[in-house]
Amino acid sequence: MIKKVLLGLVAVIAIILIVASFQSDDLNVTRSATIAAPPDAVFKVVNDFRQWDAWSPWSKLDPAMKKTLEGPPEGVGAIYKWSGNNEVGEGSTKLVDSKPNETIGMKLEFVRPFEGSSDVRFTFAPEGAGTKVTWAMQSKKPFIGKVFGMFMDCEKMCGDQFSEGLANLGKVATATPKP
């Protein structure tokens, strides 16, 4: 009886691994929102890592997260490093492209819970009296990511975080500056 259960378990695991091997290597997450502020106001908030804690959805998941900034305070070469609980993990984000009021490109490097890297891009386009902001991320999924992807919707999970972050970004970008 134990032998049959073990063989059944091995068969289920083998099927999961085979199906996972046919999953896409790519993870693409994109969300957009229109913010009632001009492109320069929204761009300034995203381009400056000193302002990220005010709108990043991950900062709220671990208020005790350790953060360091390296390089210039904003624009190309700025680096944001973090280390926190299991919900936020550890890694760094480096600004690699910054075209005022148009686009910001970043390289996201994860150390834990899983190693990996992603390319992130924010685009800013005038829309009526506001700005359409698009937050996009592309990465390659490691094999373990393909296995997890069979049991959870990683695109939706990250996408929900992006949507929350864009809503927070809207609040920060439209807030009246303090004198």
Side-chain angles (χ1 to χ4, degrees):
M1 177 67 171
I2 292 177
K3 190 175 184 180
K4 287 181 182 180
V5 170
L6 288 176
L7 284 173
L9 185 58
V10 167
V12 168
I13 291 171
I15 290 169
I16 290 170
L17 296 176
I18 290 168
V19 171
S21 71
F22 288 102
Q23 300 296 311
S24 171
D25 290 337
D26 299 314
L27 174 63
N28 296 301
V29 180
T30 303
R31 294 294 185 275
S32 296
T34 301
I35 295 175
D40 66 322
V42 184
F43 174 87
K44 287 177 185 176
V45 175
V46 178
N47 198 53
D48 185 349
F49 282 142
R50 296 171 296 187
Q51 296 191 54
W52 273 51
D53 285 344
W55 64 272
S56 169
W58 292 280
S59 293
K60 286 145 187 65
L61 292 176
D62 183 4
M65 176 173 52
K66 293 179 182 131
K67 298 159 271 205
T68 57
L69 301 178
E70 296 178 4
E74 58 189 66
V76 174
I79 300 170
Y80 179 98
K81 292 183 175 183
W82 75 92
S83 181
N85 63 23
N86 289 335
E87 289 186 88
V88 297
E90 180 178 355
S92 66
T93 304
K94 180 177 183 178
L95 266 86
V96 295
D97 180 33
S98 181
K99 292 182 182 134
N101 311 330
E102 292 179 20
T103 186
I104 296 172
M106 301 175 185
K107 188 68 170 178
L108 183 58
E109 300 287 342
F110 296 99
V111 176
R112 70 174 169 83
F114 301 107
E115 287 188 23
S117 64
S118 299
D119 294 316
V120 176
R121 180 150 307 272
F122 286 86
T123 56
F124 310 89
E127 187 168 285
T131 304
K132 180 179 180 183
V133 181
T134 300
W135 186 354
M137 178 180 75
Q138 295 81 38
S139 64
K140 294 292 184 189
K141 289 190 277 188
F143 186 75
I144 191 74
K146 293 178 180 186
V147 172
F148 280 122
M150 292 177 55
F151 302 100
M152 66 174 103
D153 188 346
C154 296
E155 193 281 336
K156 180 180 178 345
M157 194 168 56
C158 287
D160 288 349
Q161 295 285 332
F162 283 17
S163 294
E164 178 185 341
L166 289 168
N168 295 341
L169 176 61
K171 291 174 190 169
V172 172
T174 59
T176 306
K178 295 177 177 61

